[in-house]
Amino acid sequence: MSKLTDLGVAELRDGFRGGNFTAREVAEAFNAVVAGASALNAFITTTPEHALAAADEADNARAAGGDLKPLAGIPIGMKDLFATRGTRTTAGSHILEGFTPPYESTVSGKLWDAGAGMLGKLNMDQFAMGSSNETSSFGPVISPWRARHESGERSNTDLVPGGSSGGTSAAIAARLCPAATGTDTGGSIRQPASFTGISGIKPTYGRCSRYGIVGFASSLDQAGPMARSVRDCAIMLEAMAGFDPKDSTSIDAPVLPWEAGLNASMKGKRVGIPKEYRVDNMPPEIEALWEQGIAWFRDAGAEIVDVSLPHTHYSLPVYYVIAPAEASSNLARYDGVRYGLRDLPDGANLQDMYAATRKAGFGWEVKRRLLIGTYVLSAGFYDAYYTKAQRVRTLIAQDFDKAWEQCDVLLTPTTPSAAFAPGAQSADPIAMYLNDVFTVPASLAGLPAMSVPAGLSSAGLPLGLQIIGKALDEQSVFNAALALEQRAAFTARPEKWW
Amino acid sequence: MSVDEKTVRKVAALSRIAVTDEEVAAMVPELSKLLDWVKQLAEVNTEGVEPMATVIDNTLRLRADDVTDGNIRDAILSNAPSPEHGFFGVPKVIE
């Protein structure tokens, strides 16, 4: 039998139900690998007791012969952006150090209600602002993956796990947890999933409640699952999604049986290929992967359709007006008064205290975005930047509406490159932002989008393909992703060095 | 340069973030570069296009005007850096 920690969500669920192992054995196995992986820095806080308590409850329920909860016996990771009652929640930022929520986020609460246990809180880019997990106040996360030299020998150079959900992606790729939560504002689920050879879906905006998720850009923020298979993501999303009156933008639509609805046949389906995603300087291996994806869909019976999303080119500049603007408003709450850090220099008045606290608590990337956001919202610039960006955002969403007249899902690469080394892109913010060039448009339009591992780069690093679907049509996204997953047969995994 | 040191200081003050001279100097080219980059949005014709207000069609709901919360003062203060007498403590604001 393979190691328990190699099993995914469905295998653990079915194995536990079938009596092959106890939930406690599973939780103990994962707690042990988590404890042994500090070199990856994937966790900010570990909670082995939480995982064990949920496991014992699952074992007792099984012994009693009653109905088992959908995630009974499954320990998972929780991105440290979700408020967890009694467990510190940092958003990867010094300014929230010491914050222990007295309440539970809706999504994490739903997962516990579904029987899952928590292995710990996962590291992330500070306030989810970053694409490499280098902006965390708790140190960067190191990817479990290592490149291969041409000789075939493994490199010892560290790689980033992507971001902002980089603790999540690293932990799942390293088999420290079978699945975990992520959040995605401009690509923070899909880009790290692509960098680490795992799957992740950002559902339709409003599918998962934002209640209790530390806010970054509220019109874009959306929670979603990350795991090693499409099926595992579907199982997780069923537990995470659902209407929540505590979130004014929560969608009042039923949670669908996505797992039961999985179907990899693409017969009668039309897959759109947006020509604007053929960006300048696209590496040949990304281009080749995309072509491979097209061939796989043809093989699955789909019709391939060329489509145009003419305003794609403007997605990143729109995003880097809107997201910082919303962040500058959202992060005004960190004032040193109600929770988190307070820096009160001698003789300081209230205004000085605000400024000193925020200087000490926020990292450089966060400050840069707050200043940009404040600037674009300030008197005299609001219309030229913010209103203009919201108008272009409407055009970007309309591009997708038109594309849906011709196709059911879109296929694109997830990222323009494989994972890079820490520091390689941090000197130039715009170069770092370009990581999200393929993921941001779906975020701006609120559409469900998923990354699945599809192949390896010449250096032996994972590359993902992205499926974008219509609003609320997660099923078509899952099904198309499954068709790719079956044909890609991605079995590569990082060799343990940590 | 889209922004100068004076603008960075003003925006930092509006953002309530204290900045050193070195930080201002470092921020000027970074913010300028970003703002120059997003200025390309000006080339898009948006005449007659409404600014997006909601990404997925959704009506903002109203809830019944009932008291649904309260009597949780200690929980609310449990994370305050300096609670005093059941209130949030702050430096003196009135001389």
Side-chain angles (χ1 to χ4, degrees):
Chain A
M1 196 179 87
S2 55
K3 284 199 300 192
L4 287 175
T5 51
D6 285 346
L7 302 180
V9 174
E11 294 160 319
L12 287 168
R13 176 190 64 187
D14 300 343
F16 167 67
R17 280 159 199 254
N20 299 347
F21 39 75
T22 65
R24 190 165 184 99
E25 286 168 340
V26 173
E28 283 176 345
F30 279 105
N31 282 339
V33 291
V34 167
S38 54
L40 301 178
N41 200 28
F43 286 85
I44 291 175
T45 307
T46 56
T47 56
E49 69 296 336
H50 190 293
L52 290 175
D56 288 345
E57 193 183 309
D59 284 331
N60 291 338
R62 191 179 63 175
D67 281 348
L68 292 174
K69 294 174 177 175
L71 294 176
I74 317 285
I76 61 166
M78 185 61 59
K79 186 177 183 179
D80 208 13
L81 202 61
F82 293 81
T84 42
R85 186 187 296 122
T87 300
R88 76 168 174 163
T89 298
T90 70
S93 180
H94 183 45
I95 209 162
L96 269 173
E97 262 187 63
F99 174 62
T100 303
Y103 64 101
E104 190 77 36
S105 83
T106 295
V107 164
S108 57
K110 278 173 167 289
L111 286 163
W112 313 147
D113 287 347
M118 176 166 66
L119 294 161
K121 302 296 292 287
L122 291 157
N123 204 345
M124 52 177 287
D125 276 303
Q126 186 164 160
F127 285 104
M129 297 179 189
S131 304
S132 63
N133 223 294
E134 293 172 278
T135 73
S136 169
S137 292
F138 299 84
V141 175
I142 307 301
S143 173
W145 286 88
R146 291 271 157 100
R148 275 199 312 267
H149 295 302
E150 271 177 46
S151 62
E153 205 180 323
R154 197 179 69 207
S155 159
N156 288 322
T157 307
D158 286 345
L159 293 169
V160 303
S164 68
S165 309
T168 301
S169 65
I172 295 168
R175 274 67 179 170
L176 308 183
C177 48
T181 55
T183 63
D184 191 314
T185 303
S188 283
I189 285 175
R190 293 160 283 159
Q191 184 257 15
S194 178
F195 275 14
T196 56
I198 67 167
S199 298
I201 183 169
K202 178 198 89 70
T204 309
Y205 178 80
R207 267 288 187 203
C208 292
S209 170
R210 289 184 295 108
Y211 177 78
I213 300 176
V214 176
F216 159 19
S218 300
S219 79
L220 296 155
D221 295 345
Q222 181 57 207
M226 297 164 75
R228 287 191 302 272
S229 75
V230 173
R231 176 175 298 273
D232 288 358
C233 287
I235 294 169
M236 285 283 288
L237 186 60
E238 284 183 33
M240 294 166 66
F243 174 64
D244 181 11
K246 291 182 191 159
D247 171 4
S248 64
T249 57
S250 173
I251 293 177
D252 193 356
V255 176
L256 301 172
W258 291 300
E259 186 195 8
L262 287 176
N263 176 356
S265 168
M266 296 294 288
K267 283 199 176 58
K269 299 282 185 184
R270 298 162 304 165
V271 176
I273 309 299
K275 66 176 185 197
E276 289 79 7
Y277 281 56
R278 287 191 200 284
V279 293
D280 296 340
N281 307 321
M282 185 187 270
E285 59 189 10
I286 301 290
E287 181 101 41
L289 184 83
W290 198 8
E291 289 302 324
Q292 178 64 69
I294 292 169
W296 282 329
F297 274 133
R298 282 211 177 91
D299 178 60
E303 181 192 343
I304 305 298
V305 189
D306 287 321
V307 300
S308 174
L309 302 168
H311 296 90
T312 299
H313 174 66
Y314 299 104
S315 294
L316 276 176
V318 164
Y319 179 84
Y320 279 98
V321 171
I322 292 171
E326 293 186 15
S328 75
S329 169
N330 255 330
L331 273 61
R333 73 191 68 200
Y334 302 100
D335 56 7
V337 172
R338 291 162 295 166
Y339 38 75
L341 187 73
R342 166 179 291 195
D343 189 356
L344 181 60
D346 277 347
N349 65 25
L350 184 62
Q351 294 295 333
D352 300 335
M353 185 192 82
Y354 292 150
T357 297
R358 291 162 67 82
K359 173 187 170 56
F362 291 138
W364 188 252
E365 178 68 31
V366 175
K367 286 176 184 170
R368 183 167 56 222
R369 296 202 199 189
L370 294 182
L371 296 193
I372 288 276
T374 304
Y375 180 88
V376 300
L377 291 177
S378 60
F381 298 108
Y382 185 95
D383 280 337
Y385 287 99
Y386 184 71
T387 310
K388 181 76 182 182
Q390 291 286 30
R391 288 186 205 278
V392 180
R393 187 178 181 184
T394 298
L395 292 173
I396 290 166
Q398 289 173 350
D399 284 353
F400 282 105
D401 288 341
K402 287 188 194 114
W404 301 137
E405 293 168 10
Q406 293 174 265
C407 64
D408 303 299
V409 293
L410 294 161
L411 170 71
T412 80
T414 309
T415 57
S417 74
F420 45 87
Q425 298 192 358
S426 32
D428 179 359
I430 294 176
M432 183 68 89
Y433 297 169
L434 285 171
N435 270 291
D436 296 330
V437 63
F438 300 136
T439 50
V440 155
S443 296
L444 291 170
L447 301 173
M450 179 163 201
S451 180
V452 279
L456 294 175
S457 73
S458 54
L461 297 176
L463 297 170
L465 286 170
Q466 176 181 233
I467 306 290
I468 303 171
K470 299 173 191 171
L472 296 173
D473 190 12
E474 281 81 6
Q475 191 72 63
S476 292
V477 175
F478 279 130
N479 289 352
L482 187 66
L484 290 181
E485 180 182 80
Q486 289 181 354
R487 284 163 183 80
F490 186 91
T491 54
R493 56 182 288 179
E495 284 174 47
K496 189 173 188 302
W497 54 263
W498 56 91
Chain B
M1 290 280 172
S2 287
V3 296
D4 53 18
E5 292 202 358
K6 193 176 151 215
T7 310
V8 170
R9 284 184 200 284
K10 184 183 163 208
V11 176
L14 287 171
S15 308
R16 299 293 186 274
I17 298 173
V19 281
T20 63
D21 290 348
E22 294 75 33
E23 287 170 336
V24 171
M27 228 20 128
V28 166
E30 289 191 12
L31 294 195
S32 293
K33 201 174 164 195
L34 282 168
L35 289 167
D36 287 344
W37 178 60
V38 302
K39 271 185 187 152
Q40 61 180 294
L41 295 178
E43 70 197 42
V44 184
N45 180 2
T46 53
E47 219 179 288
V49 179
E50 285 295 312
M52 182 176 281
T54 173
V55 61
I56 301 292
D57 267 340
N58 203 355
T59 318
L60 213 53
R61 298 176 301 275
L62 296 177
R63 68 165 175 84
D65 186 16
D66 297 329
V67 178
T68 58
D69 205 347
N71 295 321
I72 52 169
R73 187 189 73 183
D74 292 348
I76 287 170
L77 288 174
S78 64
N79 281 289
S82 180
E84 289 172 42
H85 317 298
F87 294 93
F88 293 112
V90 294
K92 193 159 74 172
V93 283
I94 301 168
E95 293 303 325

